[in-house]
Amino acid sequence: MYHIYNLKAETMPVEKLRELQSKRLADTVRRVYDNVPFYRKKIDDAGISPADIRSIEDLNKLPFTVKQDLRDNYPYGLFAVPMEEIVRIHASSGTTGKQTVVGYTKNDIRLWGEVMARTLGAGGITKKDIGHISYGYGLFTGGLGGHIGSETIGCATIPASTGNTQRQVTILQDFKPTFILCTPSYALTIAEYIEDNNIPLDNLSLKCGFFGAEPWTESMRAELERKLNLKAYDIYGLSEIIGPGVGYECQEQNGLHIAEDHFYLEIIDPDTGKQMPDGQPGEIVFTCLTKEALPLIRYRTRDVGYKLPGLCACGRTCVRMSKPSGRTDDMLIIRGVNVFPSQIETVLMEMGGLAPHYQLVVEREGTLDRLTVLVELTEENFTSEIRRLEEINRKIRSEIESVLGISVKVKLVSPKSIERFEGKAVRVVDKRNLK
Ligand code: DLL
């Protein structure tokens, strides 16, 4: 049996859903036009008026919003309500420039609780469960987002936050949480600690984990499920839209259901802005249909994914999206070839016998880009025998080269030498200084 937190909303007939989205879109556009000078100007410049937006089909008449727009209006310029209505501020720090600042009204916080409760509910969580939240608490939305979902369902909620893996593992053993939330890379660190300290998996009571905030592959899922003896669900979201809770997997583990009564999904060709057909990858774009404080219109996420065709066996009617394969700005262009770190992760994990820790270093030699893949050996295959090491190196190189179609350098490093991350992992070190 599939567990569904909000049966009415999540299984609404598609026609009714479109009606609801249409009404909500028209309301939102009117609201941003009246309250956000930036949107008023953008809509005027596009030669349209809020009255032209009557149905969700009219969405493509509206201009896109990009991250730079948030920066240009830093910190509060895109808020659609007066500051006295704001009850929470979060921010996400990108790799460049100022933080992206986001705000929530009381209703937005309630909405966050609702969509995060749907997310956890989709993994079968009920109020009888105990939740261990190991995303960072703070300006990052992971910790408090997971927290509010768990409390909204009525679970006993442990605000463990990140760090101090030994203490995390003690809590896992003693407090007996039945589900955990953290980044997939931190889940691996926890799994590694458990393995290194010979802690029997029977000491843990975890049924499932909700992993997200960074891209991860199906092979990583298999690894986490095996090492932690749980079901690993992908969860997706971004601060600008609400935080975690935008997309979530159900027990089918086949695509992320989008809470599209609140966040409307489009997949576009990043060059032309045109809609991509189902199944074809492109840039993920969201429109907030009910947010009060920061209702972004056609926000270009720079994440890459595609819509899955057809309905899911679980009965939810909302659209499903693929696991995001990466960000357009994480995508490396090496000698003209597009490379996502996730492609390399898949190769390494499918080869077996390698630690799931890796890093990509990009350098420029003269006019040529060189990609070096640092791969961590496990204790089992760590050896001083040069011939054996060369053999492993050659095998990894040829696998990666056949998938990417470009030559790469592979550097084997000793076990545990690649940095471990408590939050989002840093997979790419780009030393090219492109700007
Ligand atoms: O990472 C919100 C979040 C917290 C999602 C906890 C899931 C769990 P930001 O810090 O604003 O918000 O970063 C958003 O992270 O645009 C993606 O590039 C990436 N991302 C988030 N979830 C996934 C995922 C949070 N499941 C950015 N798969 C997004 C791949 C993800 N990338």
Short mmCIF file of all heavy atoms in Angstrom, two decimals, residues 67 91-93 100 112 116 135 139-143 145-146 181-184 210-216 233-247 256 299 301-304 321-327 329-330 424, ligand 1:
data_model
loop_
_atom_site.label_atom_id
_atom_site.label_comp_id
_atom_site.label_asym_id
_atom_site.label_seq_id
_atom_site.Cartn_x
_atom_site.Cartn_y
_atom_site.Cartn_z
N LYS A 67 18.79 34.07 -11.42
CA LYS A 67 19.46 34.29 -10.14
C LYS A 67 19.99 35.74 -10.03
O LYS A 67 19.94 36.35 -8.96
CB LYS A 67 20.63 33.31 -10.02
CG LYS A 67 21.27 33.33 -8.67
CD LYS A 67 21.52 31.92 -8.21
CE LYS A 67 21.98 31.90 -6.80
NZ LYS A 67 21.51 30.75 -6.06
N ALA A 91 18.99 31.88 3.51
CA ALA A 91 19.87 32.33 2.44
C ALA A 91 20.70 31.16 1.95
O ALA A 91 20.97 30.23 2.71
CB ALA A 91 20.78 33.44 2.94
N SER A 92 21.05 31.20 0.69
CA SER A 92 21.95 30.15 0.20
C SER A 92 23.17 30.81 -0.38
O SER A 92 23.07 31.83 -1.07
CB SER A 92 21.26 29.27 -0.83
OG SER A 92 21.07 29.98 -2.01
N SER A 93 24.33 30.26 -0.05
CA SER A 93 25.55 30.88 -0.53
C SER A 93 26.01 30.13 -1.76
O SER A 93 26.29 28.94 -1.68
CB SER A 93 26.62 30.81 0.55
OG SER A 93 26.60 29.53 1.13
N THR A 100 22.01 34.45 -1.78
CA THR A 100 20.64 34.64 -2.25
C THR A 100 19.74 34.62 -1.02
O THR A 100 19.74 33.64 -0.28
CB THR A 100 20.25 33.49 -3.19
OG1 THR A 100 21.22 33.45 -4.23
CG2 THR A 100 18.89 33.69 -3.78
N TRP A 112 5.38 25.18 3.68
CA TRP A 112 6.63 24.41 3.72
C TRP A 112 6.42 23.12 4.53
O TRP A 112 6.83 22.03 4.12
CB TRP A 112 7.73 25.27 4.32
CG TRP A 112 9.11 24.85 4.00
CD1 TRP A 112 9.49 23.88 3.10
CD2 TRP A 112 10.32 25.39 4.54
NE1 TRP A 112 10.86 23.80 3.07
CE2 TRP A 112 11.39 24.71 3.94
CE3 TRP A 112 10.59 26.39 5.48
CZ2 TRP A 112 12.72 24.99 4.27
CZ3 TRP A 112 11.91 26.68 5.79
CH2 TRP A 112 12.96 25.99 5.19
N MET A 116 6.72 19.42 2.86
CA MET A 116 7.72 18.52 3.45
C MET A 116 7.04 17.31 4.10
O MET A 116 7.60 16.21 4.13
CB MET A 116 8.61 19.26 4.45
CG MET A 116 9.82 19.91 3.82
SD MET A 116 10.80 18.79 2.78
CE MET A 116 11.52 17.70 4.02
N TYR A 135 20.58 17.54 8.23
CA TYR A 135 20.97 18.66 7.37
C TYR A 135 21.33 19.79 8.32
O TYR A 135 20.84 19.85 9.46
CB TYR A 135 19.79 19.12 6.49
CG TYR A 135 19.46 18.20 5.35
CD1 TYR A 135 18.24 17.54 5.30
CD2 TYR A 135 20.35 18.03 4.29
CE1 TYR A 135 17.92 16.71 4.23
CE2 TYR A 135 20.03 17.20 3.22
CZ TYR A 135 18.81 16.55 3.19
OH TYR A 135 18.50 15.74 2.14
N LEU A 139 21.02 29.19 8.09
CA LEU A 139 20.49 29.88 6.92
C LEU A 139 20.14 28.89 5.80
O LEU A 139 19.22 29.11 5.02
CB LEU A 139 21.50 30.91 6.41
CG LEU A 139 21.63 32.16 7.29
CD1 LEU A 139 22.74 33.06 6.77
CD2 LEU A 139 20.32 32.93 7.35
N PHE A 140 20.87 27.78 5.72
CA PHE A 140 20.57 26.70 4.77
C PHE A 140 19.17 26.16 5.09
O PHE A 140 18.81 26.02 6.27
CB PHE A 140 21.63 25.61 4.92
CG PHE A 140 21.39 24.37 4.10
CD1 PHE A 140 21.17 24.45 2.73
CD2 PHE A 140 21.40 23.11 4.69
CE1 PHE A 140 20.95 23.30 1.97
CE2 PHE A 140 21.18 21.96 3.95
CZ PHE A 140 20.96 22.06 2.59
N THR A 141 18.40 25.84 4.05
CA THR A 141 17.00 25.43 4.28
C THR A 141 16.83 23.96 4.66
O THR A 141 15.74 23.54 5.04
CB THR A 141 16.17 25.69 3.00
OG1 THR A 141 16.86 25.06 1.91
CG2 THR A 141 15.98 27.16 2.73
N GLY A 142 17.91 23.17 4.54
CA GLY A 142 17.78 21.72 4.76
C GLY A 142 17.32 21.35 6.16
O GLY A 142 16.36 20.59 6.33
N GLY A 143 17.99 21.89 7.18
CA GLY A 143 17.69 21.51 8.56
C GLY A 143 16.29 21.89 8.97
O GLY A 143 15.46 21.02 9.32
N GLY A 145 13.85 22.87 7.15
CA GLY A 145 12.85 22.31 6.22
C GLY A 145 12.50 20.88 6.62
O GLY A 145 11.32 20.51 6.70
N GLY A 146 13.51 20.08 6.86
CA GLY A 146 13.27 18.70 7.29
C GLY A 146 12.54 18.69 8.62
O GLY A 146 11.60 17.91 8.84
N LEU A 181 17.46 12.41 7.56
CA LEU A 181 17.60 13.35 6.45
C LEU A 181 19.01 13.93 6.47
O LEU A 181 19.44 14.46 7.51
CB LEU A 181 16.60 14.51 6.59
CG LEU A 181 15.17 14.30 6.08
CD1 LEU A 181 14.35 13.52 7.09
CD2 LEU A 181 14.52 15.63 5.78
N CYS A 182 19.71 13.83 5.37
CA CYS A 182 21.02 14.48 5.24
C CYS A 182 21.42 14.45 3.77
O CYS A 182 20.70 13.87 2.95
CB CYS A 182 22.08 13.81 6.11
SG CYS A 182 22.38 12.08 5.75
N THR A 183 22.56 15.04 3.44
CA THR A 183 23.00 14.96 2.05
C THR A 183 23.46 13.51 1.80
O THR A 183 23.92 12.84 2.74
CB THR A 183 24.19 15.90 1.76
OG1 THR A 183 25.26 15.60 2.66
CG2 THR A 183 23.81 17.36 1.90
N PRO A 184 23.37 13.03 0.57
CA PRO A 184 23.85 11.67 0.29
C PRO A 184 25.33 11.52 0.62
O PRO A 184 25.76 10.46 1.09
CB PRO A 184 23.59 11.48 -1.21
CG PRO A 184 23.16 12.79 -1.74
CD PRO A 184 22.74 13.65 -0.61
N PHE A 210 16.07 10.36 3.50
CA PHE A 210 15.64 11.33 2.49
C PHE A 210 16.85 12.18 2.15
O PHE A 210 17.24 13.06 2.93
CB PHE A 210 14.48 12.17 3.03
CG PHE A 210 13.27 11.34 3.35
CD1 PHE A 210 13.13 10.74 4.59
CD2 PHE A 210 12.29 11.12 2.38
CE1 PHE A 210 12.02 9.95 4.89
CE2 PHE A 210 11.19 10.33 2.66
CZ PHE A 210 11.05 9.73 3.92
N PHE A 211 17.45 11.86 1.02
CA PHE A 211 18.73 12.46 0.68
C PHE A 211 18.58 13.42 -0.49
O PHE A 211 17.92 13.10 -1.48
CB PHE A 211 19.73 11.35 0.33
CG PHE A 211 19.86 10.29 1.41
CD1 PHE A 211 19.67 8.95 1.13
CD2 PHE A 211 20.16 10.67 2.72
CE1 PHE A 211 19.78 7.99 2.14
CE2 PHE A 211 20.27 9.72 3.74
CZ PHE A 211 20.08 8.36 3.44
N GLY A 212 19.21 14.57 -0.38
CA GLY A 212 19.12 15.54 -1.47
C GLY A 212 20.05 16.70 -1.20
O GLY A 212 21.01 16.58 -0.43
N ALA A 213 19.77 17.81 -1.84
CA ALA A 213 20.57 19.04 -1.78
C ALA A 213 21.77 18.99 -2.70
O ALA A 213 22.48 19.97 -2.85
CB ALA A 213 21.00 19.41 -0.36
N GLU A 214 22.01 17.84 -3.33
CA GLU A 214 23.10 17.71 -4.31
C GLU A 214 22.75 16.53 -5.22
O GLU A 214 21.99 15.64 -4.82
CB GLU A 214 24.44 17.48 -3.60
CG GLU A 214 24.47 16.17 -2.80
CD GLU A 214 25.74 16.01 -1.98
OE1 GLU A 214 26.51 16.97 -1.85
OE2 GLU A 214 25.95 14.90 -1.47
N PRO A 215 23.32 16.49 -6.42
CA PRO A 215 23.01 15.38 -7.31
C PRO A 215 23.63 14.07 -6.81
O PRO A 215 24.72 14.10 -6.24
CB PRO A 215 23.66 15.78 -8.65
CG PRO A 215 24.09 17.20 -8.50
CD PRO A 215 24.22 17.47 -7.04
N TRP A 216 22.94 12.98 -7.00
CA TRP A 216 23.49 11.66 -6.67
C TRP A 216 22.87 10.65 -7.60
O TRP A 216 21.79 10.85 -8.15
CB TRP A 216 23.29 11.32 -5.19
CG TRP A 216 21.89 11.39 -4.66
CD1 TRP A 216 21.06 12.49 -4.66
CD2 TRP A 216 21.14 10.33 -4.04
NE1 TRP A 216 19.86 12.19 -4.07
CE2 TRP A 216 19.87 10.89 -3.67
CE3 TRP A 216 21.40 9.00 -3.73
CZ2 TRP A 216 18.89 10.13 -3.04
CZ3 TRP A 216 20.41 8.26 -3.09
CH2 TRP A 216 19.19 8.82 -2.76
N TYR A 233 15.52 7.63 -0.46
CA TYR A 233 14.67 8.46 -1.33
C TYR A 233 15.38 9.75 -1.67
O TYR A 233 16.04 10.36 -0.82
CB TYR A 233 13.36 8.79 -0.62
CG TYR A 233 12.50 7.58 -0.35
CD1 TYR A 233 12.35 7.07 0.94
CD2 TYR A 233 11.83 6.94 -1.39
CE1 TYR A 233 11.57 5.96 1.19
CE2 TYR A 233 11.05 5.83 -1.16
CZ TYR A 233 10.91 5.34 0.12
OH TYR A 233 10.14 4.24 0.36
N ASP A 234 15.16 10.18 -2.90
CA ASP A 234 15.72 11.46 -3.35
C ASP A 234 14.72 12.56 -3.02
O ASP A 234 13.52 12.38 -3.24
CB ASP A 234 15.96 11.39 -4.87
CG ASP A 234 16.84 12.53 -5.35
OD1 ASP A 234 17.28 13.35 -4.53
OD2 ASP A 234 17.10 12.59 -6.57
N ILE A 235 15.20 13.67 -2.49
CA ILE A 235 14.33 14.84 -2.31
C ILE A 235 15.02 16.05 -2.92
O ILE A 235 16.23 16.19 -2.87
CB ILE A 235 13.95 15.08 -0.83
CG1 ILE A 235 15.14 15.52 0.03
CG2 ILE A 235 13.30 13.85 -0.23
CD1 ILE A 235 14.73 15.95 1.43
N TYR A 236 14.20 16.90 -3.53
CA TYR A 236 14.75 18.02 -4.29
C TYR A 236 14.09 19.34 -3.89
O TYR A 236 12.90 19.37 -3.55
CB TYR A 236 14.51 17.76 -5.78
CG TYR A 236 14.79 18.94 -6.68
CD1 TYR A 236 16.08 19.21 -7.12
CD2 TYR A 236 13.77 19.80 -7.08
CE1 TYR A 236 16.35 20.30 -7.94
CE2 TYR A 236 14.03 20.89 -7.91
CZ TYR A 236 15.32 21.14 -8.34
OH TYR A 236 15.58 22.21 -9.14
N GLY A 237 14.84 20.38 -3.94
CA GLY A 237 14.27 21.70 -3.72
C GLY A 237 15.35 22.75 -3.78
O GLY A 237 16.54 22.43 -3.91
N LEU A 238 14.94 24.00 -3.74
CA LEU A 238 15.92 25.09 -3.72
C LEU A 238 15.34 26.24 -2.93
O LEU A 238 14.12 26.42 -2.89
CB LEU A 238 16.33 25.50 -5.13
CG LEU A 238 15.30 25.98 -6.12
CD1 LEU A 238 16.00 26.73 -7.25
CD2 LEU A 238 14.54 24.82 -6.72
N SER A 239 16.22 26.97 -2.28
CA SER A 239 15.79 28.04 -1.38
C SER A 239 14.85 29.01 -2.07
O SER A 239 13.85 29.43 -1.49
CB SER A 239 16.99 28.85 -0.88
OG SER A 239 18.07 28.03 -0.62
N GLU A 240 15.18 29.38 -3.32
CA GLU A 240 14.41 30.41 -4.00
C GLU A 240 12.94 30.00 -4.13
O GLU A 240 12.06 30.85 -4.18
CB GLU A 240 14.97 30.67 -5.41
CG GLU A 240 16.38 31.21 -5.43
CD GLU A 240 17.44 30.11 -5.51
OE1 GLU A 240 17.33 29.11 -4.75
OE2 GLU A 240 18.36 30.23 -6.32
N ILE A 241 12.67 28.71 -4.22
CA ILE A 241 11.28 28.26 -4.40
C ILE A 241 10.64 28.01 -3.03
O ILE A 241 9.54 28.45 -2.78
CB ILE A 241 11.22 27.01 -5.32
CG1 ILE A 241 11.81 27.37 -6.70
CG2 ILE A 241 9.79 26.49 -5.48
CD1 ILE A 241 11.18 28.57 -7.40
N ILE A 242 11.30 27.28 -2.14
CA ILE A 242 10.85 27.17 -0.74
C ILE A 242 11.92 26.49 0.12
O ILE A 242 11.97 26.65 1.33
CB ILE A 242 9.50 26.41 -0.62
CG1 ILE A 242 8.83 26.74 0.73
CG2 ILE A 242 9.67 24.89 -0.78
CD1 ILE A 242 7.34 26.55 0.78
N GLY A 243 12.80 25.72 -0.53
CA GLY A 243 13.75 24.86 0.19
C GLY A 243 13.41 23.42 -0.20
O GLY A 243 12.79 23.20 -1.25
N PRO A 244 13.76 22.42 0.61
CA PRO A 244 13.35 21.06 0.28
C PRO A 244 11.83 20.97 0.32
O PRO A 244 11.20 21.74 1.04
CB PRO A 244 13.97 20.22 1.41
CG PRO A 244 14.17 21.18 2.54
CD PRO A 244 14.47 22.51 1.91
N GLY A 245 11.26 20.04 -0.47
CA GLY A 245 9.79 19.91 -0.49
C GLY A 245 9.20 20.21 -1.85
O GLY A 245 8.01 20.08 -2.07
N VAL A 246 10.04 20.61 -2.81
CA VAL A 246 9.54 20.92 -4.15
C VAL A 246 9.26 19.62 -4.91
O VAL A 246 8.23 19.46 -5.57
CB VAL A 246 10.55 21.80 -4.92
CG1 VAL A 246 10.06 22.08 -6.34
CG2 VAL A 246 10.82 23.10 -4.17
N GLY A 247 10.18 18.65 -4.78
CA GLY A 247 10.02 17.36 -5.47
C GLY A 247 10.44 16.23 -4.56
O GLY A 247 11.38 16.38 -3.78
N LEU A 256 10.84 12.13 -9.32
CA LEU A 256 10.46 13.00 -8.20
C LEU A 256 9.10 13.62 -8.51
O LEU A 256 8.93 14.29 -9.54
CB LEU A 256 11.51 14.10 -8.05
CG LEU A 256 12.88 13.60 -7.62
CD1 LEU A 256 13.99 14.32 -8.37
CD2 LEU A 256 13.08 13.76 -6.13
N TYR A 299 11.19 30.83 -12.68
CA TYR A 299 12.56 30.93 -12.17
C TYR A 299 13.46 29.86 -12.79
O TYR A 299 13.19 28.66 -12.69
CB TYR A 299 12.58 30.80 -10.64
CG TYR A 299 13.97 30.98 -10.09
CD1 TYR A 299 14.61 32.20 -10.20
CD2 TYR A 299 14.64 29.93 -9.50
CE1 TYR A 299 15.91 32.37 -9.73
CE2 TYR A 299 15.94 30.09 -9.01
CZ TYR A 299 16.56 31.32 -9.14
OH TYR A 299 17.84 31.49 -8.68
N THR A 301 16.32 27.54 -12.76
CA THR A 301 17.11 26.97 -11.65
C THR A 301 18.56 26.67 -12.02
O THR A 301 19.39 26.48 -11.16
CB THR A 301 16.50 25.63 -11.19
OG1 THR A 301 16.58 24.72 -12.29
CG2 THR A 301 15.06 25.79 -10.75
N ARG A 302 18.82 26.53 -13.31
CA ARG A 302 20.12 26.06 -13.84
C ARG A 302 20.33 24.58 -13.57
O ARG A 302 21.40 24.04 -13.83
CB ARG A 302 21.30 26.84 -13.27
CG ARG A 302 21.18 28.33 -13.49
CD ARG A 302 22.54 28.94 -13.29
NE ARG A 302 22.42 30.25 -12.69
CZ ARG A 302 23.47 30.97 -12.33
NH1 ARG A 302 24.68 30.52 -12.52
NH2 ARG A 302 23.30 32.15 -11.81
N ASP A 303 19.32 23.90 -13.00
CA ASP A 303 19.41 22.45 -12.84
C ASP A 303 18.92 21.78 -14.12
O ASP A 303 18.10 22.34 -14.84
CB ASP A 303 18.53 21.98 -11.68
CG ASP A 303 19.06 22.47 -10.34
OD1 ASP A 303 20.29 22.56 -10.19
OD2 ASP A 303 18.25 22.77 -9.45
N VAL A 304 19.44 20.58 -14.35
CA VAL A 304 19.09 19.87 -15.57
C VAL A 304 18.28 18.62 -15.23
O VAL A 304 18.67 17.84 -14.36
CB VAL A 304 20.37 19.48 -16.34
CG1 VAL A 304 20.01 18.69 -17.61
CG2 VAL A 304 21.16 20.72 -16.71
N MET A 321 9.54 14.29 -12.24
CA MET A 321 10.76 14.78 -12.89
C MET A 321 11.87 13.76 -12.63
O MET A 321 11.86 13.08 -11.60
CB MET A 321 11.08 16.11 -12.20
CG MET A 321 12.27 16.83 -12.69
SD MET A 321 12.48 18.35 -11.70
CE MET A 321 13.53 17.75 -10.39
N SER A 322 12.79 13.69 -13.55
CA SER A 322 13.94 12.79 -13.36
C SER A 322 14.78 13.28 -12.19
O SER A 322 14.65 14.42 -11.77
CB SER A 322 14.81 12.83 -14.62
OG SER A 322 15.38 14.13 -14.74
N LYS A 323 15.68 12.42 -11.72
CA LYS A 323 16.68 12.90 -10.77
C LYS A 323 17.47 14.01 -11.48
O LYS A 323 17.90 13.78 -12.61
CB LYS A 323 17.67 11.77 -10.45
CG LYS A 323 17.35 10.95 -9.23
CD LYS A 323 18.25 9.73 -9.18
CE LYS A 323 19.23 9.72 -8.03
NZ LYS A 323 18.80 10.20 -6.75
N PRO A 324 17.66 15.17 -10.86
CA PRO A 324 18.47 16.18 -11.56
C PRO A 324 19.89 15.65 -11.79
O PRO A 324 20.50 15.11 -10.88
CB PRO A 324 18.48 17.35 -10.59
CG PRO A 324 17.36 17.10 -9.63
CD PRO A 324 17.20 15.62 -9.55
N SER A 325 20.38 15.79 -13.01
CA SER A 325 21.69 15.21 -13.30
C SER A 325 22.82 16.15 -12.92
O SER A 325 23.97 15.77 -12.88
CB SER A 325 21.78 14.83 -14.76
OG SER A 325 21.44 15.94 -15.54
N GLY A 326 22.48 17.39 -12.65
CA GLY A 326 23.53 18.36 -12.29
C GLY A 326 23.05 19.75 -12.60
O GLY A 326 21.88 19.94 -12.93
N ARG A 327 23.93 20.70 -12.47
CA ARG A 327 23.57 22.07 -12.76
C ARG A 327 24.29 22.51 -14.03
O ARG A 327 25.40 22.06 -14.29
CB ARG A 327 24.03 23.00 -11.63
CG ARG A 327 23.35 22.75 -10.32
CD ARG A 327 23.96 23.63 -9.26
NE ARG A 327 23.79 25.05 -9.55
CZ ARG A 327 22.68 25.73 -9.30
NH1 ARG A 327 21.65 25.12 -8.76
NH2 ARG A 327 22.61 27.00 -9.57
N ASP A 329 25.69 25.12 -14.38
CA ASP A 329 26.95 25.77 -14.00
C ASP A 329 27.96 24.81 -13.36
O ASP A 329 29.09 25.18 -13.09
CB ASP A 329 26.76 27.05 -13.17
CG ASP A 329 25.66 26.95 -12.15
OD1 ASP A 329 25.12 25.84 -11.99
OD2 ASP A 329 25.34 27.96 -11.53
N ASP A 330 27.56 23.57 -13.07
CA ASP A 330 28.51 22.55 -12.62
C ASP A 330 28.99 21.74 -13.80
O ASP A 330 29.93 20.95 -13.70
CB ASP A 330 27.82 21.53 -11.70
CG ASP A 330 27.93 21.93 -10.26
OD1 ASP A 330 28.58 22.94 -10.00
OD2 ASP A 330 27.34 21.22 -9.43
N LYS A 424 26.83 19.88 1.44
CA LYS A 424 26.96 19.56 0.03
C LYS A 424 28.42 19.24 -0.29
O LYS A 424 29.31 19.97 0.10
CB LYS A 424 26.51 20.75 -0.82
CG LYS A 424 25.04 21.10 -0.65
CD LYS A 424 24.70 22.35 -1.46
CE LYS A 424 23.34 22.90 -1.09
NZ LYS A 424 22.31 22.69 -2.09
O1 DLL B 1 19.67 22.42 -1.29
C1 DLL B 1 17.38 22.62 -0.55
C2 DLL B 1 17.41 21.20 -0.14
C3 DLL B 1 17.78 20.87 1.15
C4 DLL B 1 17.00 20.20 -1.01
C5 DLL B 1 17.76 19.54 1.55
C6 DLL B 1 16.97 18.87 -0.63
C7 DLL B 1 17.35 18.56 0.66
P1 DLL B 1 19.84 25.35 -1.97
O2 DLL B 1 20.92 25.37 -0.97
O3 DLL B 1 19.21 26.63 -2.38
O4 DLL B 1 18.64 24.47 -1.44
O5 DLL B 1 20.40 24.58 -3.23
C8 DLL B 1 19.55 24.28 -4.31
O6 DLL B 1 20.78 22.26 -4.81
O7 DLL B 1 19.21 24.11 -7.41
C9 DLL B 1 20.20 21.90 -7.04
O8 DLL B 1 21.27 22.35 -7.82
C10 DLL B 1 20.73 21.24 -5.79
N1 DLL B 1 19.84 20.15 -5.36
C11 DLL B 1 18.93 20.16 -4.37
N2 DLL B 1 18.35 18.94 -4.26
C12 DLL B 1 18.89 18.15 -5.22
C13 DLL B 1 18.72 16.80 -5.63
C14 DLL B 1 18.68 23.13 -1.13
N3 DLL B 1 17.86 15.98 -5.01
C15 DLL B 1 20.29 23.49 -5.34
N4 DLL B 1 19.44 16.37 -6.68
C16 DLL B 1 19.41 23.07 -6.49
C17 DLL B 1 20.30 17.18 -7.33
C18 DLL B 1 19.83 18.93 -5.93
N5 DLL B 1 20.53 18.44 -6.97
#
